[in-house]
């Protein structure tokens, strides 16, 4: 299974606080805990050629992880369209934190994906709503993050196919923090935590969830549906 | 439309704090704000004959509202079965607060309906997750209750058909507070707030939600589905 | 309530068979059965100025009904964007038949909305899957259409929030024929039947469903959610 | 992983047609194609002691498959209660065909689970509605069964969490044929085909779906939620 971790990779180069938390970038931090025998994990970033996603990479990718924040507009529409088509054709997509405002997530959701936010070093607690779901495997009743950015409802998304986590924030808000969606032949998982100034991706529970999600969103091997003008089928049960 | 508000009506008779908040019982408090020209609103309580739900009442009821807490076991299985059948046949059901543990709600859900709880005068904030739903009509971004009993996840219910409210509690928990379900020809709304020692049912937003829900759960007028051994249908498009 | 029936209105002007079935256009046929005391029903068509949807019309519209087929590409992106924003802000949208491929429906769904099709005068039977839903009010167990175009799965849409009708076709296919979605503050109903060469919109059951849907998608009156940087809320329950 | 295939095992002993199709019983037919290195597959039948499900078996079972038809009432309430509790505690459950009327499925659904039926050697075609789901892995656009019993809507179940297959029948009906549900910590898959007089469980696609479903419903390894009176949590982000 080929996993690509995509990162905007700008904060880390300009903000010393972020560089201190993620010296090699958020993408390398995520890639490092995902690596294992059954996974070929690589990274791609905004400022690489074709944002690090040329066709020979993108078409071989089984699962794409996306972290972006302040430069969503710099992602070319052509790459967005290709990623979108890959999802409809079966590639798994994990969208993290501020990726809620990425072009590709908004295009797949069909809504504004807007929300409330506040950076105030608040405690976050992600409660598990669906204890039967493989993405919550190995997680206790909740994940606690000592300090995070707040995201609050209303989160303008379609009702998730499955709602796995709901966040509580110290400052009084709640948020749908773990949401699954199916689009075409592809599966999507949105996972809220991960503001760049906090060590969220170093937290073992957060790593467990993302690793679980990689397995959950991976493509199903099957023939793709056929669309368009169709011939009539045989409709009568015969005497073979 | 005939609406019946059912109440266990025990706390009010033995606990002076509750009697002070609801001198005529929770059922009368709810009935009084639901009454209007298009609704015939009556009440029924546990200690009445047949719990106040004899056939001539139950079979004429369009919407039944249920509040119970410490005497769920005293509700006769025969009445539970009748209420259950009425819901499958189209009667609307609104289950309030501790009614999550009523026999009929558990039977309709198919799960334990268990949860966490704590009585500690905590602030509750019910955030609206679906701003397009008629049950949230007239409500702002959230409803704030100064003091309430805490209910916390995991709430052992099937994933709601629609999740309308999510509660935040001062003490650190979240809860799925407004849930719709469809069962057979009937519609169900579970609404969390309403511990007996707090004036929750005097709050205008809570009243608005329950009143909206009465309209939403009311029966649809149509032929009921036919079950069992079926004759074959005409399957070829003819030249009439 | 202001209802606008939008129609591409091209087939009726060039194909005598269609003109015979809908002499005043599909839009007039639909508008005529929707008109009643509580509804101001007007029409708009592709070849009018701004496709008949200038701002003063669109911003006053509560429910928009959309029929398009062979000229989806001629609908300007500017109008599509405005209709899309209106839906997110609460306007109800009913998309009919070949409108599945309209720009605005695809944008709201986030998928290709592709499907199988065949024009072969086939019998269609739309089975009611949710007998408790107000959109099915007054409809029997199924609606039978003597001859229709076939639409078949796989239909590339997100899983509907509610699946109300499932079609059976003489030629061997099935199709999700009645689907509800919520996007932002708006509600959407997709309803399959209505190929231009058949008198589908003259069928009383089809008229009933569309009329029911107008009531179901109409906007909810409430304050819109607020997004962006948020102030902290009061989180401690006080002694008022 | 321990898989138990439960069968009523009555038709096979009294009806020569069924005995001819399934000489060792439906349970052995299913067990034989499920067996593989990672699965310990055994069987249990109605007429065994405790229906073949004593505690030491049931509590060790990861996935239970259920086929029953004419003797649902002979399954003891005590065993039903134990199976139900095991599902809420995480055991996977696959309910086949006429098992829709089994006590445990009805208890988990909270509805009558009634439907239309007809035994008339009709062609069935199960269309895949969700091509991204692992239960459909390896399956084409549809599964065709030359002759089967018809099951038709309305099927009185809660709206499935995921609807994977929809059946088309020669005689004019449709049916929700592949439905997933989550209840407590457990996952459930209902799969329609398998009338005892037809060789349905010898069909490779049907075998593939049941095998896929075994993997999908298997338990998630994690701590179970805690219910009841809860202590307050730490709600303020500290300076560690």
């Amino acid at each position: 299974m080929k996993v690509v971790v995509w990162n905007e990779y700008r904060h880390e180069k300009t903000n010393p606080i972020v560089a201190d938390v993620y010296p090699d970038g958020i993408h390398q931090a995520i890639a490092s805990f995902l690596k294992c025998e059954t996974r070929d994990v690589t990274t791609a970033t905004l400022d690489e050629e074709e944002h690090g996603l040329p066709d020979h990479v993108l078409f071989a990718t089984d699962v794409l992880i996306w972290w972006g924040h302040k430069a969503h507009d710099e992602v070319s529409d052509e790459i967005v369209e290709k990623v979108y088509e890959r999802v409809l054709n079966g590639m798994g997509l994990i969208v993290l934190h501020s990726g809620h405002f990425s072009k590709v997530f908004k295009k797949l959701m069909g809504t504004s994906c807007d929300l409330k936010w506040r950076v105030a070093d608040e405690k976050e607690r992600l409660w598990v709503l669906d204890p039967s779901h493989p993405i919550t495997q190995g997680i206790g009743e909740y994940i606690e993050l000592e300090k995070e950015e707040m995201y609050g409802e209303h989160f303008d998304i379609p009702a998730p196919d499955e709602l796995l986590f709901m966040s509580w924030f110290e400052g009084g808000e709640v948020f749908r923090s773990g949401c699954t969606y199916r689009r075409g032949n592809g599966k999507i998982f949105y996972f809220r935590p991960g503001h760049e100034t906090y060590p969220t991706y170093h937290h073992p529970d957060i790593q467990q969830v993302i690793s679980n999600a990689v397995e959950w969103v991976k493509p199903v091997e099957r023939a793709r549906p056929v669309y368009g003008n169709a011939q009539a089928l045989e409709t009568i049960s015969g005497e073979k």
Side-chain angles (χ1 to χ4, degrees), chain A residues 61-65 87 90-94 186-188 217-219:
Chain A
T61 301
D62 294 302
V63 176
L64 179 64
I65 299 178
V87 172
M91 183 182 73
L93 179 68
I94 298 174
K187 294 188 283 295
I188 303 164
V217 301
K218 75 181 176 198

Side-chain angles (χ1 to χ4, degrees), chain A residues 97-124:
Chain A
H97 190 62
S98 41
H100 74 90
F101 255 171
S102 63
K103 286 179 180 177
V104 73
F105 188 63
K106 290 196 289 184
K107 188 175 172 73
L108 285 159
M109 295 296 104
T111 56
S112 75
C113 300
D114 213 340
L115 48 75
K116 285 188 174 60
W117 58 272
R118 183 173 57 233
V119 180
D121 289 356
E122 292 178 54
K123 189 187 284 280
E124 174 178 12

